[in-house]
Every structure is written in structure tokens, then in C-alpha cells.
């Protein structure tokens, strides 16, 4: 009769204990999440490397530095217990106001182009409005956490809404409409996740639409009287008008849109190949590494390259949804959902504007558009999601 293999009664339990110890020591290693992020960031770096190859105004080294610094901040934030921040609503409000208004400080603020005072000169140029997205998320999540998932009182709803609109009002002093829309999106997600009554949300939406219409009407009345627009910059009006009629400004915003569409369409199924794109290489496509980076990707990597990017985004969003669903507290769930909502809005707006489906704005494509500030900010948000996952897993154990 053949003998059964002997089981090492000492080593087997030791191995199990060692594995359990490693799991307890590194609970933040959400492998699927890290893998998707690594693939997405690597993909974005490849596209940026091609986009900046022949453009002296941009440095690929700067993008790599943003990734390296972002990873450091991500790990630090990931290990921090996010639950300690739930009661600092007023502090987040003060920090938001200070960050967003800091470019107005004489000697520090610098013009980002087209009259937008949204950058700081600190040896390097920093856009505080980007970092304020983090504190806006924490502000809105901490506000809604106070109501325990149910916001029925109309007075409390108006109070919460008013606090959420403060960052938007501040960013419009620069003015930076694109970033302001991101703030509004974050606030909308927080209200929905936080349990605001649907009736209040519909009233707010109707009021927002009415306010937009009123701005255009009043601005036109002012123009008829004074000969200049006061409420909206001329380029902001042009971008919205071009969205309604792509042929209205053939040498301005319409030109940018046409070139973006040509770049996307010329990529075909497989693309022209990395470093082979002509629209940005010849300088025809404006702001290729930043606002129109998606066009570079579509031209050089084609439809399949676009689908690969969308698949990576889908993976990141789905894993984040699972992390939000596993959260045991409203504050953590709201943080994750606000981050995901912000990413989805930026993805839809950036890709949509390149295709002519959305108005042209300066909203970047997450993890792909050139910019160290935006890259670091996105990595910090990855750390926030990781913190929610880690500390809820530890609690379950």
C-alpha cells in the first residue's frame, strides 16, 4: 500500500501565520486597484511623451517628477485614517477659500492666459485651484456626513448648499469656469450620495439652468448699453457659442474644434503610430499635451488605443465603486463617490469637447493630460480612496 505524503506539522502552520502577518502588515495593498492605476499612469506617460517630443514649452521630465511626487503623497495619504477628518468642516472651508483666492495675492499670482489669474509663482508654477479639488471633496463629504444619509429639512439643505457653493464663488473670481464646473459636480454627487431629497435637487437644477440663462441675457443687455461684456469673458462666450454652432468662429474656437476632430478621425482603427501624429507635430492642434491630449492618443493609437484607455478608466471606476460600497460610514463612501464623480465628469467633458459633444473648456483628462500639479492631485485622491478601503478592511478584521 503506497504511503501518503507526510505533512510537516510545524512548517505548514508557520507558513499560514506568515501569510496572515503579511496581510495584516500590508492591508493597503489592494492589488487590482494598484494594477489598474499603474497601467493607466504608464499609458498616460507614453502618450504625453509623444505629445511633448517636439514641443519645447513642455518637459517630459516634469511629468515624471509629478508622478514620482504623486506616488509619495499617495502612500502617505493611503496610510492616514481618513475618519479623523470628518469633523473639520469649517477648517476645510477656510482652506478652500485661502487656496482658491491665493493667486490674487500681489506678487504671487500669475496670469494663466486669457485673463485667468489662477496660478502661483513659487519657483515653479502651481495651480492651487487643482489642489482645492481635494479640500472641496473633504468639505462636501464632511457636510453631508453630519446628516447621516438623510437631508429632509429645507433650511438645512439651503445651508449645506450655500457652504458647497463658496469654493465655486471663489474660483469664479479668477475666473476659471472649467474648474468651477468640477466643484459643482463634486457638490452634486455629495448631495445625491448624502441623501438630499430629490425634490430639492430638481429645484436646485432648475435654478442653476435659470441662472445660466440669466447671465447670458443680462450680459447681452450690458453689451448693448456699454459695448462690452462684463459677466462672461469673450472667450467663454465663444466656446459656448461654438458648441451650439461649430462654424460660427472659423479662425478661433471653431478652428480648434475642427483640428481636434481631424486628429481623432485620421487615427482610424490602429492609428498612425507613436510619434507619427501630424496634427500636433506640425503645431496644428492647439494645446496638444494638455487640453487636447485625447486627440494625440486617438491619432497615434487609433480606435483600439482609445478603447484601451476607456477600459482602464472603467476598471478604475468599478473598483472604486466596490470600495465605496464596502465603506461602513457615510463620510468615507461620499469621499470615494465624489472622487469618482469628478473623474467621470472630467473624462466625459474632455473627450466630449474634443469630439464636439461638449463645450470646449480647460478641463484635463485624468492621469493623461500633461501637468505635474494635476498628476499629484490625482495621486492624492487615489490615496484617499485607498485610505477608505484600508481602514474599512481593518475594521472588518
Amino acid at each position: 500500500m503506497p504511503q501518503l505524503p507526510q505533512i510537516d506539522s510545524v512548517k505548514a502552520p508557520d507558513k499560514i501565520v506568515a501569510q496572515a502577518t503579511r496581510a495584516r502588515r500590508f492591508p493597503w495593498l489592494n492589488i487590482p486597484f494598484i494594477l489598474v492605476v499603474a497601467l493607466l499612469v504608464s499609458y498616460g506617460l507614453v502618450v504625453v511623451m509623444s505629445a511633448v517630443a517636439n514641443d519645447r514649452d513642455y518637459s517630459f521630465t516634469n511629468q515624471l517628477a509629478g508622478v514620482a511626487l504623486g506616488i509619495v503623497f499617495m502612500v502617505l495619504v493611503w496610510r492616514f485614517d481618513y475618519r479623523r477628518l470628518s469633523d473639520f468642516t469649517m477648517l476645510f472651508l477656510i482652506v478652500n477659500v485661502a487656496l482658491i483666492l491665493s493667486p490674487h495675492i500681489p506678487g504671487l499670482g500669475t496670469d494663466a492666459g486669457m485673463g485667468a489669474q489662477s496660478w502661483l509663482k513659487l519657483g515653479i508654477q502651481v495651480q492651487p485651484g487643482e489642489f482645492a479639488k481635494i479640500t472641496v471633496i473633504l468639505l462636501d463629504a464632511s457636510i453631508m456626513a453630519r446628516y447621516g444619509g438623510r437631508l429632509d429639512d429645507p433650511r438645512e439643505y439651503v445651508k449645506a448648499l450655500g457652504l458647497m457653493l463658496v469654493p465655486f464663488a471663489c474660483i469664479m473670481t479668477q475666473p476659471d469656469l472649467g474648474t468651477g464646473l468640477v466643484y459643482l459636480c463634486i457638490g452634486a454627487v455629495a448631495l445625491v450620495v448624502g441623501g438630499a431629497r430629490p425634490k430639492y435637487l430638481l429645484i436646485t437644477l432648475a435654478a442653476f439652468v435659470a441662472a445660466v440663462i440669466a447671465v447670458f441675457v443680462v450680459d447681452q443687455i450690458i453689451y448693448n448699453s456699454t459695448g462690452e461684456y462684463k459677466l462672461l469673458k469673450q472667450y467663454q462666450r465663444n466656446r459656448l457659442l461654438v458648441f451650439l454652432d461649430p462654424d460660427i468662429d472659423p479662425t478661433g474656437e471653431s478652428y480648434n474644434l475642427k483640428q481636434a476632430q481631424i486628429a481623432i478621425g485620421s487615427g482610424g482603427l490602429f492609428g498612425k503610430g507613436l510619434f507619427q501624429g501630424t496634427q500636433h507635430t506640425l503645431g496644428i492642434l492647439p494645446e496638444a499635451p494638455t487640453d487636447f491630449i485625447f486627440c494625440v492618443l486617438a491619432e497615434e493609437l487609433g480606435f483600439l488605443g482609445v478603447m484601451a484607455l476607456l477600459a482602464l478608466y472603467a476598471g478604475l471606476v468599478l473598483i472604486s465603486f466596490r470600495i465605496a460600497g464596502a465603506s461602513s460610514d457615510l463620510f468615507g463612501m461620499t469621499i470615494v463617490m465624489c472622487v469618482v464623480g469628478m473623474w467621470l465628469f472630467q473624462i466625459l467633458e474632455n473627450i466630449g469637447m474634443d469630439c464636439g459633444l461638449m463645450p470646449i473648456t480647460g478641463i484635463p483628462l485624468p492621469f493623461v493630460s500633461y501637468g505635474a500639479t494635476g498628476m499629484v492631485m490625482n495621486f492624492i485622491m487615489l490615496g484617499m480612496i485607498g485610505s477608505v478601503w484600508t481602514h474599512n478592511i481593518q475594521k472588518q478584521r
Side-chain angles (χ1 to χ4, degrees):
M1 181 176 180
Q3 292 185 347
L4 295 174
Q6 297 294 318
I7 298 176
D8 192 329
S9 59
V10 176
K11 290 185 178 180
D14 286 347
K15 185 177 181 180
I16 295 173
V17 170
Q19 291 175 343
T21 301
R22 285 195 296 270
R24 287 194 299 268
R25 188 178 300 169
F26 304 108
W28 53 279
L29 288 178
N30 186 324
I31 301 301
F33 186 69
I34 293 175
L35 180 60
V36 169
V37 169
L39 290 173
L40 179 57
V41 172
S42 299
Y43 196 28
L45 285 175
V46 171
V47 177
V48 168
M49 181 171 58
S50 177
V52 304
N54 299 304
D55 196 331
R56 296 181 179 179
D57 292 333
Y58 301 93
S59 168
F60 183 65
T61 303
N62 184 65
Q63 190 77 349
L64 288 176
V67 172
L69 187 60
I71 291 174
V72 173
F73 278 107
M74 179 188 72
V75 174
L76 293 175
V77 174
W78 197 315
R79 301 303 299 274
F80 181 79
D81 190 346
Y82 72 95
R83 292 169 295 189
R84 299 179 183 178
L85 302 175
S86 60
D87 296 326
F88 292 97
T89 303
M90 293 310 299
L91 176 61
F92 292 138
L93 182 63
I94 294 171
V95 171
N96 269 310
V97 173
L99 272 175
I100 299 170
L101 295 183
S102 60
H104 294 297
I105 299 175
L108 287 181
T110 182
D111 196 321
M114 295 183 291
Q117 191 83 2
S118 55
W119 293 79
L120 291 178
K121 272 188 175 180
L122 301 173
I124 58 173
Q125 285 196 347
V126 178
Q127 191 174 11
E130 281 292 306
F131 286 114
K133 292 176 182 177
I134 300 167
T135 49
V136 167
I137 289 174
L138 293 173
L139 170 66
D140 293 355
S142 64
I143 290 172
M144 298 312 298
R146 294 174 177 270
Y147 298 103
R150 186 170 183 175
L151 182 53
D152 293 331
D153 190 317
R155 290 172 298 181
E156 290 298 317
Y157 177 81
V158 171
K159 177 182 175 182
L161 181 63
L163 289 174
M164 292 181 182
L165 287 175
V166 170
F168 175 77
C170 292
I171 200 70
M172 291 309 296
T173 64
Q174 294 183 2
D176 187 346
L177 181 58
T179 304
L181 292 176
V182 174
Y183 293 170
L184 291 181
C185 174
I186 293 171
V189 173
L191 289 170
V192 172
V193 175
R197 291 186 64 180
K199 179 175 70 174
Y200 300 158
L201 296 174
L202 290 175
I203 293 173
T204 303
L205 178 61
F208 175 74
V209 173
V212 172
I213 295 173
V215 166
F216 274 91
V217 172
V218 172
D219 213 19
Q220 189 62 46
I221 294 173
I222 295 174
Y223 177 81
N224 294 337
S225 302
T226 65
E228 60 179 317
Y229 296 109
K230 297 290 188 181
L231 302 181
L232 288 175
K233 299 288 185 179
Q234 185 62 52
Y235 76 91
Q236 293 173 332
R237 295 181 61 87
N238 290 346
R239 287 177 173 182
L240 292 172
L241 292 174
V242 164
F243 170 65
L244 299 174
D245 182 3
D247 297 317
I248 197 172
D249 185 21
T251 61
E253 298 298 339
S254 289
Y255 173 83
N256 296 344
L257 176 59
K258 294 293 185 183
Q259 299 308 319
Q261 292 174 331
I262 290 172
I264 294 171
S266 64
L269 182 61
F270 299 104
K272 299 176 180 178
L274 282 173
F275 304 98
Q276 302 301 315
T278 55
Q279 290 296 102
H280 72 89
T281 302
L282 298 176
I284 300 173
L285 183 67
E287 304 297 335
T290 54
D291 296 350
F292 294 97
I293 190 70
F294 176 77
C295 302
V296 177
L297 186 152
E299 183 182 16
E300 297 189 345
L301 300 177
F303 178 77
L304 294 181
V306 170
M307 293 307 297
L309 176 67
L310 296 180
L312 291 173
Y313 278 139
L316 178 62
V317 169
L318 290 175
I319 294 173
S320 299
F321 276 150
R322 291 187 61 184
I323 293 174
S327 178
S328 59
D329 64 295
L330 182 60
F331 181 59
M333 182 174 67
T334 306
I335 287 176
V336 177
M337 293 304 295
C338 284
V339 172
V340 173
M342 184 201 73
W343 282 337
L344 285 175
F345 175 73
Q346 293 190 185
I347 293 167
L348 292 174
E349 169 57 30
N350 185 279
I351 296 177
M353 76 175 188
D354 293 345
C355 300
L357 302 176
M358 300 288 283
I360 295 176
T361 64
I363 294 177
L365 191 60
F367 301 103
V368 181
S369 287
Y370 178 90
T373 302
M375 187 64 74
V376 172
M377 181 272 298
N378 279 310
F379 267 105
I380 291 174
M381 291 191 177
L382 290 172
M384 291 163 62
I385 295 176
S387 177
V388 173
W389 182 83
T390 295
H391 292 92
N392 279 281
I393 292 298
Q394 286 180 333
K395 188 175 182 181
Q396 292 171 9
R397 290 176 178 175

mmCIF file of all heavy atoms in Angstrom, residues 8-18:
data_model
loop_
_atom_site.group_PDB
_atom_site.id
_atom_site.type_symbol
_atom_site.label_atom_id
_atom_site.label_comp_id
_atom_site.label_asym_id
_atom_site.label_seq_id
_atom_site.Cartn_x
_atom_site.Cartn_y
_atom_site.Cartn_z
ATOM 1 N N ASP A 8 4.206 18.347 7.008
ATOM 2 C CA ASP A 8 5.066 18.974 8.013
ATOM 3 C C ASP A 8 4.186 19.768 8.969
ATOM 4 O O ASP A 8 3.710 20.861 8.642
ATOM 5 C CB ASP A 8 6.094 19.883 7.334
ATOM 6 C CG ASP A 8 7.172 20.322 8.308
ATOM 7 O OD1 ASP A 8 6.860 20.444 9.502
ATOM 8 O OD2 ASP A 8 8.324 20.546 7.848
ATOM 9 N N SER A 9 3.947 19.250 10.139
ATOM 10 C CA SER A 9 3.008 19.862 11.089
ATOM 11 C C SER A 9 3.536 21.154 11.671
ATOM 12 O O SER A 9 2.809 21.905 12.303
ATOM 13 C CB SER A 9 2.707 18.878 12.237
ATOM 14 O OG SER A 9 3.909 18.534 12.903
ATOM 15 N N VAL A 10 4.837 21.410 11.486
ATOM 16 C CA VAL A 10 5.401 22.652 12.034
ATOM 17 C C VAL A 10 5.431 23.738 10.971
ATOM 18 O O VAL A 10 4.973 24.848 11.171
ATOM 19 C CB VAL A 10 6.823 22.390 12.581
ATOM 20 C CG1 VAL A 10 7.438 23.710 13.045
ATOM 21 C CG2 VAL A 10 6.770 21.391 13.719
ATOM 22 N N LYS A 11 5.932 23.387 9.761
ATOM 23 C CA LYS A 11 6.132 24.401 8.726
ATOM 24 C C LYS A 11 4.823 24.892 8.134
ATOM 25 O O LYS A 11 4.706 26.064 7.793
ATOM 26 C CB LYS A 11 7.023 23.830 7.632
ATOM 27 C CG LYS A 11 8.456 23.622 8.073
ATOM 28 C CD LYS A 11 9.316 23.155 6.905
ATOM 29 C CE LYS A 11 10.768 22.990 7.354
ATOM 30 N NZ LYS A 11 11.620 22.525 6.234
ATOM 31 N N ALA A 12 3.825 23.978 7.979
ATOM 32 C CA ALA A 12 2.567 24.402 7.366
ATOM 33 C C ALA A 12 1.889 25.502 8.168
ATOM 34 O O ALA A 12 1.536 26.550 7.632
ATOM 35 C CB ALA A 12 1.644 23.206 7.172
ATOM 36 N N PRO A 13 1.685 25.320 9.487
ATOM 37 C CA PRO A 13 1.091 26.418 10.269
ATOM 38 C C PRO A 13 1.947 27.677 10.255
ATOM 39 O O PRO A 13 1.432 28.789 10.228
ATOM 40 C CB PRO A 13 1.002 25.823 11.684
ATOM 41 C CG PRO A 13 0.957 24.355 11.466
ATOM 42 C CD PRO A 13 1.854 24.116 10.294
ATOM 43 N N ASP A 14 3.271 27.498 10.268
ATOM 44 C CA ASP A 14 4.148 28.680 10.240
ATOM 45 C C ASP A 14 3.952 29.475 8.960
ATOM 46 O O ASP A 14 3.951 30.712 8.973
ATOM 47 C CB ASP A 14 5.613 28.242 10.347
ATOM 48 C CG ASP A 14 5.963 27.796 11.756
ATOM 49 O OD1 ASP A 14 5.146 28.070 12.660
ATOM 50 O OD2 ASP A 14 7.026 27.178 11.929
ATOM 51 N N LYS A 15 3.768 28.765 7.857
ATOM 52 C CA LYS A 15 3.564 29.443 6.576
ATOM 53 C C LYS A 15 2.263 30.227 6.586
ATOM 54 O O LYS A 15 2.186 31.359 6.099
ATOM 55 C CB LYS A 15 3.564 28.416 5.455
ATOM 56 C CG LYS A 15 3.467 29.033 4.067
ATOM 57 C CD LYS A 15 3.546 27.958 2.996
ATOM 58 C CE LYS A 15 3.469 28.577 1.610
ATOM 59 N NZ LYS A 15 3.541 27.543 0.548
ATOM 60 N N ILE A 16 1.223 29.622 7.133
ATOM 61 C CA ILE A 16 -0.077 30.298 7.212
ATOM 62 C C ILE A 16 0.014 31.542 8.085
ATOM 63 O O ILE A 16 -0.501 32.607 7.754
ATOM 64 C CB ILE A 16 -1.154 29.331 7.748
ATOM 65 C CG1 ILE A 16 -1.363 28.188 6.747
ATOM 66 C CG2 ILE A 16 -2.468 30.065 8.014
ATOM 67 C CD1 ILE A 16 -2.274 27.097 7.272
ATOM 68 N N VAL A 17 0.713 31.390 9.213
ATOM 69 C CA VAL A 17 0.870 32.532 10.122
ATOM 70 C C VAL A 17 1.637 33.659 9.436
ATOM 71 O O VAL A 17 1.294 34.839 9.563
ATOM 72 C CB VAL A 17 1.578 32.092 11.422
ATOM 73 C CG1 VAL A 17 1.970 33.315 12.252
ATOM 74 C CG2 VAL A 17 0.688 31.166 12.232
ATOM 75 N N ALA A 18 2.667 33.282 8.673
ATOM 76 C CA ALA A 18 3.460 34.305 7.973
ATOM 77 C C ALA A 18 2.622 35.044 6.953
ATOM 78 O O ALA A 18 2.716 36.265 6.818
ATOM 79 C CB ALA A 18 4.656 33.645 7.299
#
